[in-house]
Amino acid sequence: METSEKNKAYWRKNLQYLAILLGIWFITSYLCSIMFVDQLDKIQIRGYRLGFYFAQQASIWIFVELIFVYAWLMNRLEKKYQTPETAEDPQ
């Protein structure tokens, strides 16, 4: 595969990961915490309303987890599209 084709494939996959992860973040932080909070408050877990839980805790925890997922995905992606020039140790 030519280098420019590899770069295009790499960035296409990177943007795909970003779109999916940002979509998950949008759903949990905006929709579940703001838009659908009244519907989610009808569900209780351990005495806490689910809408309140998303607004106060879950959206933050999910965001932090998405950071780790993105780092893991990018490590895999970089190994997959690694070229001989980037494979060498720069030192």
Side-chain angles (χ1 to χ4, degrees), residues 1-2 5-6 11-14 17 20 23 25 36 38-39 45-46 49 51 55 63 71 75 78 80 87 91:
M1 188 183 283
E2 189 179 313
E5 291 176 20
K6 283 178 108 174
W11 281 106
R12 188 177 311 114
K13 196 67 171 173
N14 185 5
Y17 288 154
I20 291 168
W25 181 50
F36 301 126
D38 293 331
Q39 291 84 1
I45 299 174
R46 296 178 142 188
R49 296 170 298 170
F63 177 71
N75 283 335
E78 288 176 2
K80 180 180 178 182
Q91 297 173 345

Side-chain angles (χ1 to χ4, degrees), residues 9-67:
Y10 171 84
W11 281 106
R12 188 177 311 114
K13 196 67 171 173
N14 185 5
L15 292 175
Q16 182 183 17
Y17 288 154
L18 280 173
I20 291 168
L21 295 175
L22 287 174
I24 293 169
W25 181 50
F26 174 77
I27 289 168
T28 59
S29 66
Y30 185 72
L31 295 181
C32 292
S33 298
I34 298 171
M35 299 300 292
F36 301 126
V37 71
D38 293 331
Q39 291 84 1
L40 291 173
D41 277 344
K42 295 175 185 172
I43 302 168
Q44 289 195 3
I45 299 174
R46 296 178 142 188
Y48 295 101
R49 296 170 298 170
L50 189 58
F52 173 78
Y53 178 72
F54 265 104
Q56 297 300 316
Q57 295 291 325
S59 61
I60 297 167
W61 283 109
I62 291 170
F63 177 71
V64 171
E65 289 173 14
L66 289 176
I67 293 170

